[in-house]
Amino acid sequence: MGKAGTKGVSRADRERQIVDVAVEEFGRHGYAGVSVTAVARRAGISKPLVYSYFDAKDGLYLACVQRVGALLVDAVAGARARSGSTGHALDTLSALFTAVEQCPYAWSVLYDPAPPWAGAAGEAVRQYRERLAEMGAAGAARLLDRAGHADPLDHQLLNEIWQYTVTAVMRWWAEHPEQSAAAMAERCARLLTALGGG
Amino acid sequence: MGKAGTKGVSRADRERQIVDVAVEEFGRHGYAGVSVTAVARRAGISKPLVYSYFDAKDGLYLACVQRVGALLVDAVAGARARSGSTGHALDTLSALFTAVEQCPYAWSVLYDPAPPWAGAAGEAVRQYRERLAEMGAAGAARLLDRAGHADPLDHQLLNEIWQYTVTAVMRWWAEHPEQSAAAMAERCARLLTALGGG
DNA sequence: GGCAGGTAATTTACCCATCAGTCAATTCGG
DNA sequence: CCGAATTGACTGATGGGTAAATTACCTGCC
């Protein structure tokens, strides 16, 4: 490896590139399973550069959370805007698929089951999850109200189930990258109708 | 914190006790997020004792996987035996609830999203998940065949979704310990019928 | 019933790799 | 020539793992 000295890569580009590999690492191994050294190595740079740009492991994770959080929130918001309040779960899923087609581990980063709850990154995780949950809650509420169930805990649990369902689909997709976003949407449509739900 | 010397606790008892806390730790923080030192501290003993009994972190995890694996496989097998091949998902869920009522993190240990795939523990994880998936696959196959879908990948994905759904319910339950197993079963029955599936 | 001695339980103190994080120096681009 | 990009080399802490010593229990024997 060459010595010190700039290589002509702008900070913005380098940050993007680092976050690229960090998102994959965090998505694959979870926060605790990732070492900053490994991220730097896979990005082809040295560890101090990561710290110079992101300040701490938590800061690096924060950057990842913000990227994928924005991506996912925009996708879901867009889907809801397009299909109005009658939008079904499939529209949301479909929008998510096209949004994360180039970033298969986006969802897994935000839904790491054991993220660092303390610190700025944890706060961001809470906020993004909250926003996504709110948007998904409308659909859940429609389903439950239609069936006459009003228990707020039911709503909570149904939301959780929905989030983990998406996690399942996303992780399966990450291991079957040959599937296109459209194919995934079709497949999920098949499964959903087979389950008898609308 | 006395010095060295036995405290009159048999190896079997001590192992049980260590696995008790290890299951909770692994379930809460995931394999990578757990330190053997922390397990030992929470168990009120010293780290070398853990190594003397379980040989390595992987060995400790293996012991946890075997305990919860047996618990879960027995529960599901029992449910299937009782309700025959017409058993629905709810019977399985209900059996799982009563089985893990005293061990809320059992499922999360076996379904750690980033377990150490290399080594004996990883092998055990694969095997137990396989057995549970086989037993669950019957139900999934029935659903999909009824709808005329034969794609084996659909079966795979539906299985994955089922497992993550259970994960969601189990983790939600772990954070709402005041709910009884029966209450959880009822709640899931409500949700399932609200979703329109049988 | 008391005592020698093997065995099982348990700890203190240590080793080495890795990890998060820092400093000072170096090199290039504008 | 200044500022930004970049690194090798370092530190303190922690993690997995080990060696050796200490204490208690148990068994057979007188």
Side-chain angles (χ1 to χ4, degrees):
Chain A
M1 283 302 183
K3 319 210 163 175
T6 181
K7 293 171 183 165
V9 181
S10 78
R11 171 166 186 160
D13 283 356
R14 201 57 105 181
E15 284 187 352
R16 248 188 305 275
Q17 174 194 347
I18 295 173
V19 171
D20 281 348
V21 357
V23 163
E24 180 172 341
E25 289 285 292
F26 283 127
R28 283 172 98 88
H29 312 302
Y31 181 84
V34 170
S35 88
V36 178
T37 310
V39 171
R41 187 168 37 226
R42 279 203 41 192
I45 57 171
S46 70
K47 184 174 58 158
L49 190 56
V50 178
Y51 278 94
S52 145
Y53 286 165
F54 298 97
D55 205 66
K57 186 183 181 184
D58 193 82
L60 178 58
Y61 183 58
L62 173 61
C64 295
V65 167
Q66 280 168 339
R67 172 190 289 186
V68 307
L71 187 72
L72 299 169
V73 164
D74 285 0
V76 174
R80 286 175 56 79
R82 273 192 300 281
S83 60
S85 73
T86 69
H88 290 348
L90 259 177
D91 299 321
T92 305
L93 257 186
S94 193
L96 283 173
F97 287 146
T98 61
V100 306
E101 191 162 23
Q102 310 305 332
C103 191
Y105 290 98
W107 183 274
S108 295
V109 169
L110 188 57
Y111 286 89
D112 184 338
W117 288 119
E123 195 50 47
V125 168
R126 264 189 291 267
Q127 280 179 242
Y128 277 114
R129 286 197 191 177
E130 175 84 15
R131 288 177 63 182
L132 288 169
E134 275 171 23
M135 294 192 281
R142 196 158 12 93
L143 267 177
L144 291 183
D145 291 352
R146 186 208 293 165
H149 300 323
D151 187 338
L153 291 183
D154 281 8
H155 285 69
Q156 232 184 77
L157 178 53
L158 183 54
N159 254 301
E160 204 84 357
I161 290 177
W162 165 251
Q163 285 161 10
Y164 273 81
T165 301
V166 178
T167 304
V169 176
M170 290 296 179
R171 292 188 80 101
W172 186 87
W173 192 15
E175 283 167 16
H176 297 74
E178 75 281 0
Q179 307 277 321
S180 71
M184 287 301 296
E186 284 176 32
R187 192 180 297 282
C188 289
R190 271 199 304 273
L191 292 184
L192 236 73
T193 60
L195 291 176
Chain B
M1 306 285 182
K3 317 212 160 175
T6 182
K7 293 171 184 166
V9 182
S10 78
R11 171 166 188 162
D13 283 355
R14 201 57 105 180
E15 283 186 353
R16 247 189 306 275
Q17 173 194 349
I18 295 173
V19 171
D20 281 347
V21 358
V23 162
E24 180 171 341
E25 289 286 291
F26 283 127
R28 282 171 99 87
H29 312 302
Y31 181 84
V34 170
S35 87
V36 178
T37 311
V39 171
R41 189 168 34 228
R42 279 203 41 191
I45 56 171
S46 71
K47 183 173 59 157
L49 190 56
V50 178
Y51 279 94
S52 145
Y53 286 165
F54 298 99
D55 206 67
K57 187 183 180 183
D58 193 83
L60 178 58
Y61 184 56
L62 173 60
C64 295
V65 167
Q66 279 168 339
R67 170 188 294 185
V68 306
L71 188 71
L72 298 170
V73 164
D74 284 0
V76 175
R80 286 176 57 78
R82 274 190 299 278
S83 58
S85 74
T86 69
H88 291 347
L90 259 178
D91 299 321
T92 305
L93 257 185
S94 193
L96 283 173
F97 287 147
T98 60
V100 306
E101 192 161 21
Q102 310 305 332
C103 191
Y105 290 97
W107 184 274
S108 295
V109 169
L110 189 56
Y111 286 89
D112 183 338
W117 289 119
E123 194 51 46
V125 168
R126 265 191 290 268
Q127 280 178 240
Y128 277 114
R129 286 198 191 177
E130 175 84 15
R131 287 177 64 183
L132 287 169
E134 274 171 21
M135 295 192 280
R142 197 159 8 97
L143 268 177
L144 291 182
D145 291 352
R146 185 208 294 166
H149 301 324
D151 187 338
L153 290 183
D154 280 7
H155 285 70
Q156 232 183 78
L157 178 53
L158 183 54
N159 254 300
E160 204 84 358
I161 290 177
W162 166 250
Q163 283 161 12
Y164 272 81
T165 301
V166 178
T167 304
V169 176
M170 290 297 179
R171 292 187 80 101
W172 186 88
W173 192 16
E175 285 168 14
H176 297 74
E178 75 282 1
Q179 306 279 320
S180 71
M184 288 300 297
E186 283 176 32
R187 192 179 296 282
C188 289
R190 271 199 303 273
L191 292 184
L192 237 73
T193 60
L195 291 174

